[in-house]
Amino acid sequence: MENMNFDPAAMSAMIMKSYINDTLPLEDMIYVKGKVAIVTGGTSGLGFCVAQRLCQGGAKVVIAGTTEKKGKAAIDLLKEKNYEVTFCQADVRSEESVKHLVDFTVETYGSVDILVTSGGSWSFAHVYDLPEEEFMKTVDINLTGAFRCAKQVSKYMVEHQVKGKIVFVSSNCAYVSQPVFGGYAHYAASKGGVIAMTQELAKELKRFGIMVNTVAPGGMKTPGAMTNGPVRTLSAEKQKEMGRELMVAAVDEVPTADSVAIAIYGMCTKMADGITGECLVADSGMMRNIVSYQPAVAQYPPKEE
């Protein structure tokens, strides 16, 4: 029997009113005040930019890296802005070291609400020249290292009922092969694994209110990008050959590290409460061949007549 008391207009008004009542102030959505964050690889490049943005947003930040000298230099710069930030020497290749990083963060700031894994390793070599130890090292740092961090941080979050954010850093090379003739198999494999792992961890951790996502940059202006090159154990001839190929590639722009850091920062805020298991590609359109102009690239090698 039809319910004669049902009033669609009243129901609509009630729902609309709930929108107003349940809407948090925009400031609470944008800022991370009172949150505690760990940023691996935070001593330079993208990680440093992420740490700076999190500090700017009001978080207390622990930046982690393997080199104390670089850590001190980064901390000194950030403390000039009176940010609450400290350094912890840690190596993501060691589970004990990562556990110490989490314990140090809790002892220093009282919690862990945000994890960003921006530490990484990369180099260039064709698969037929790539030493197995270089492949394994890259995967150990980029993929297994991210796993170790997520394992220890999520364990803390679950035990202490922290509805936190985990943001991995992947790469668009998981979707797009390196220009010219590649040389990135080990790096692409590690970063593709990060994207796959993101979905699985998001599935496991959502019931605890922990959101897990990935941001995938393309090339960026960072100290590492400016200094990395062919695998150092290759012969001098092979290194030169690889170097020549790398110089041929051309792109219409190289995004700044901060442009990617801003995307990562957004995934750490309440603005991303409804997002989990996703990979946000922050490469200024590179993956989809969206360019502001098309650079002319001479064919390499020359076409045989």
Side-chain angles (χ1 to χ4, degrees), residues 154-272:
S154 66
K155 183 178 180 180
Y156 174 85
M157 289 178 173
V158 170
E159 289 177 353
H160 294 83
Q161 299 182 341
V162 175
K163 296 182 178 181
K165 298 286 199 303
I166 295 175
V167 184
F168 298 123
V169 177
S170 181
S171 168
N172 69 353
C173 74
Y175 303 107
V176 181
S177 58
Q178 181 70 11
V180 197
F181 293 123
Y184 237 23
H186 49 326
Y187 187 73
S190 70
K191 293 301 188 177
V194 167
I195 295 171
M197 183 171 68
T198 296
Q199 284 187 286
E200 176 59 28
L201 299 194
K203 180 74 170 180
E204 293 182 19
L205 297 174
K206 185 180 179 182
R207 61 190 170 131
F208 301 108
I210 301 167
M211 300 300 177
V212 186
N213 292 289
T214 295
V215 173
M220 293 175 288
K221 294 177 181 176
T222 66
M226 299 299 108
T227 57
N228 262 330
V231 173
R232 292 185 176 89
T233 56
L234 295 180
S235 67
E237 182 181 347
K238 289 288 186 180
Q239 289 194 47
K240 286 181 181 179
E241 178 187 337
M242 189 80 248
R244 284 194 297 269
E245 290 187 14
L246 294 173
M247 294 302 293
V248 170
V251 293
D252 73 325
E253 66 174 321
V254 179
T256 65
D258 187 55
S259 69
V260 179
I262 291 169
I264 293 172
Y265 174 84
M267 300 303 280
C268 296
T269 68
K270 291 190 71 63
M271 291 188 293

